[in-house]
Amino acid sequence: MTKKWDVVIIGAGLAGYVAANYLAKKNLSILLLERGKHVGGRAKTDKVKRQYFNLGPHALYKKGKAKPILEELGISLNGKSPKLTGFIIENNTEYVAPLTPSGLFSTKFLNWKDRLEWISALMKVNRVNTEHLADLTFQQWVKQITSSQKVVSLLYLLARLTTYCHAPDKVSAKLIVSHLKVGMSGVLYLDGGWQTMIDQLHNQAVIAGIQVQSNSVVKHIVPSVDHHTLILSNNEEILANKVICTTHPQELNDMLDDHLQHRFFTQITPVKGATLDVALTQLPNPKLSFAMGVTNPLYYSVHSNDAQLSDDGKSTILHVFKYHSPNVHIDGKEVKNELEQFLEQLQPEWQQYVITKRILPNITVNQRLPQVGDEQNLKRSETDIPGLYIAGDWASANSILSEGAISSGKQAADEIIKKENGMI
């Protein structure tokens, strides 16, 4: 007899592990399938020459949805919060970043009228009921609250910083402003990188009896009345009462027969970017730890000032990042030069101190660019196919990134537990 699992979870990233650990509390039999050799998805951390590189700059909101969920699962989150003291750059001119009280009053980027508008705009971000923004793009809302072009550009910069989204004319004001609210309350850089979260979640899952199987590619899901059959790339068949799919939406559609595919999944656009991850023996200009372009969508931050990201704790680990606009052609060589030149502008002669570095010119940061109306298709985790659930950074109605991955993992588990208990 082929074993029938209570729940099979496709994808061993944050969403998959969070769902698995919640479900394990209910003594369900759970199989976690990962297509890659290593677990973790985009939360994995690579160790290169004793330096810890996340896949680009990663930060965990201090006041978001994800942190309390992780803490409820007993995950330790060690690290510190970076300060937003540094520079913003426009037309190759550096200005003090007006992202702290002292920066606000000392910057020459804003005149006094703009300063007052910027204060007013930040107050509106904090006070607005985001439910009232459901039908607006972020660009439309920003134009409603300020007439200052400087303040507009700062709000777009803050949106990039907190959501990685560089498409104000396309993204949902409701979701972006929700993220701005929590992002302005600070973030954590994690000691040892985000792999520490994955390792803890994995260890707890294994101790709880969850089976984790890597190098397992699901190529077909065949639903039936009382169970689902998963067919792997090696033609192995796995039976499951319920399935949680945490892959990207098009990949899920590809696993289903044509008549079962969800049209909304084909319309989803990913959020992309480029990262230059660098480890240095020292920083040429040690006082500069943060900078962003105003109209040029570039970011620089020294993460090792607030988290231990090397074996000896002595190295400088920094990230330079470019926020890509959706659906643009990416020239890898051009992007590499742009990121390195930006770093050279901020840290002249940095190349002399390199321990190791890497360039990833076109990475997916989030599977869904959040657009107006998306939440209508994401009201619950269970799909139109009974017993098939979604989770992942794209699958939450009102959040993206780790917030979306972790909260949707918990939501999918909660919906399954309620069904098991006969509450739905």
Side-chain angles (χ1 to χ4, degrees), residues 165-167 170 269-270 272-273 297 322-330:
C165 295
H166 181 43
K170 292 183 172 68
T269 302
K272 297 205 166 193
K322 181 176 184 182
Y323 307 91
H324 288 326
S325 295
N327 303 317
V328 296
H329 171 72
I330 307 303

Side-chain angles (χ1 to χ4, degrees), residues 14 43 45 52 54 58-62 67 70 75-82 187-198 200 303-304 306-310 402 406:
L14 283 173
T45 305
Y52 297 98
N54 290 322
H58 280 43
L60 188 72
Y61 292 139
K62 287 169 70 176
K67 189 167 176 278
L70 292 167
I75 306 304
S76 299
L77 302 167
N78 299 314
K80 294 177 185 170
S81 299
V187 298
L188 284 176
Y189 293 163
L190 298 181
D191 292 342
W194 278 37
Q195 188 72 41
T196 58
M197 288 192 289
I198 292 294
Q200 291 177 76
H303 283 221
S304 56
D306 302 290
Q308 181 158 333
L309 293 168
S310 58
S402 59
I406 289 167

Side-chain angles (χ1 to χ4, degrees), residues 7-280:
V7 184
V8 173
I9 301 171
I10 306 170
L14 283 173
Y17 272 117
V18 166
N21 277 288
Y22 272 106
L23 290 167
K25 296 178 180 182
K26 299 300 176 182
N27 294 319
L28 300 171
S29 61
I30 302 160
L31 173 63
L32 193 54
L33 299 174
E34 168 56 41
R35 69 177 300 141
K37 183 179 177 182
H38 303 289
V39 300
R42 288 193 302 283
K44 75 185 180 77
T45 305
D46 295 319
K47 188 176 180 183
V48 186
K49 294 188 178 178
R50 304 175 70 199
Q51 319 300 314
Y52 297 98
F53 283 166
N54 290 322
L55 293 176
H58 280 43
L60 188 72
Y61 292 139
K62 287 169 70 176
K63 297 287 178 72
K65 302 172 185 176
K67 189 167 176 278
I69 292 172
L70 292 167
E71 288 171 344
E72 187 180 21
L73 289 171
I75 306 304
S76 299
L77 302 167
N78 299 314
K80 294 177 185 170
S81 299
K83 296 183 177 70
L84 292 180
T85 51
F87 292 113
I88 57 172
I89 300 167
E90 186 175 51
N91 300 325
N92 287 322
T93 303
E94 296 179 358
Y95 300 93
V96 172
L99 305 177
T100 62
S102 62
L104 171 65
F105 290 105
S106 61
T107 189
K108 292 181 179 175
F109 180 70
L110 301 172
N111 62 31
W112 277 104
K113 185 184 176 192
D114 288 331
R115 244 181 273 263
L116 293 172
E117 284 237 15
W118 179 227
I119 294 168
S120 172
L122 292 176
M123 289 171 67
K124 286 170 183 171
V125 168
N126 274 320
R127 290 176 180 172
V128 69
N129 180 347
T130 54
E131 294 299 322
H132 297 158
L133 310 181
D135 298 326
L136 297 175
T137 66
F138 185 57
Q139 181 184 69
Q140 288 169 335
W141 183 71
V142 165
K143 287 185 174 178
Q144 284 182 11
I145 68 165
T146 182
S147 57
S148 163
Q149 193 50 49
K150 292 277 181 85
V151 173
V152 168
S153 62
L154 285 174
L155 285 167
Y156 290 171
L157 177 151
L158 210 52
R160 292 195 297 273
L161 179 63
T162 53
T163 69
Y164 297 83
C165 295
H166 181 43
D169 58 323
K170 292 183 172 68
V171 291
S172 156
K174 179 181 175 182
L175 187 141
I176 298 297
V177 177
S178 297
H179 276 254
L180 282 179
K181 284 173 179 281
V182 291
M184 285 162 59
S185 297
V187 298
L188 284 176
Y189 293 163
L190 298 181
D191 292 342
W194 278 37
Q195 188 72 41
T196 58
M197 288 192 289
I198 292 294
D199 289 347
Q200 291 177 76
L201 287 164
H202 174 79
N203 292 340
Q204 285 195 17
V206 171
I207 290 166
I210 294 165
Q211 187 167 323
V212 182
Q213 191 172 304
S214 56
N215 293 312
S216 298
V217 179
V218 179
K219 69 176 185 180
H220 202 187
I221 299 173
V222 184
S224 62
V225 176
D226 60 342
H227 68 269
H228 298 302
T229 304
L230 282 70
I231 302 170
L232 305 190
S233 57
N234 63 1
N235 292 322
E236 178 188 353
E237 293 190 3
I238 295 171
L239 304 184
N241 287 327
K242 294 181 175 62
V243 175
I244 302 176
C245 188
T246 72
T247 66
H248 66 75
Q250 187 55 55
E251 195 175 337
L252 171 54
N253 259 355
D254 291 344
M255 295 175 195
L256 297 168
D257 288 337
D258 290 350
H259 69 285
L260 295 173
Q261 293 182 359
H262 201 304
R263 192 165 65 89
F264 169 64
F265 294 172
T266 66
Q267 299 166 348
I268 292 174
T269 302
V271 179
K272 297 205 166 193
T275 186
L276 171 64
D277 307 323
V278 182
L280 304 176

Side-chain angles (χ1 to χ4, degrees), residues 268-391:
I268 292 174
T269 302
V271 179
K272 297 205 166 193
T275 186
L276 171 64
D277 307 323
V278 182
L280 304 176
T281 53
Q282 67 182 73
L283 208 55
N285 179 6
K287 290 183 179 176
L288 180 56
S289 59
F290 171 79
M292 288 188 75
V294 176
T295 48
N296 200 2
L298 295 171
Y299 160 102
Y300 152 91
S301 182
V302 179
H303 283 221
S304 56
N305 284 351
D306 302 290
Q308 181 158 333
L309 293 168
S310 58
D311 279 352
D312 60 10
K314 294 178 181 177
S315 308
T316 297
I317 310 296
L318 62 87
H319 301 279
V320 184
F321 191 85
K322 181 176 184 182
Y323 307 91
H324 288 326
S325 295
N327 303 317
V328 296
H329 171 72
I330 307 303
D331 182 321
K333 189 174 180 182
E334 195 177 293
V335 169
K336 175 180 182 289
N337 290 337
E338 192 175 1
L339 295 175
E340 289 186 342
Q341 285 169 17
F342 188 60
L343 183 53
E344 184 68 27
Q345 180 182 348
L346 300 168
Q347 296 290 347
E349 301 182 354
W350 63 275
Q351 302 255 25
Q352 295 180 26
Y353 306 103
V354 171
I355 300 168
T356 186
K357 65 175 181 175
R358 72 172 176 196
I359 174 80
L360 303 171
N362 193 21
I363 58 171
T364 297
V365 180
N366 198 83
Q367 298 290 5
R368 174 175 67 93
L369 184 77
Q371 301 192 55
V372 175
D374 281 0
E375 63 266 27
Q376 299 306 314
N377 293 289
L378 297 168
K379 287 182 175 177
R380 56 182 191 155
S381 298
E382 191 170 19
T383 66
D384 295 337
I385 301 168
L388 175 62
Y389 298 76
I390 53 171

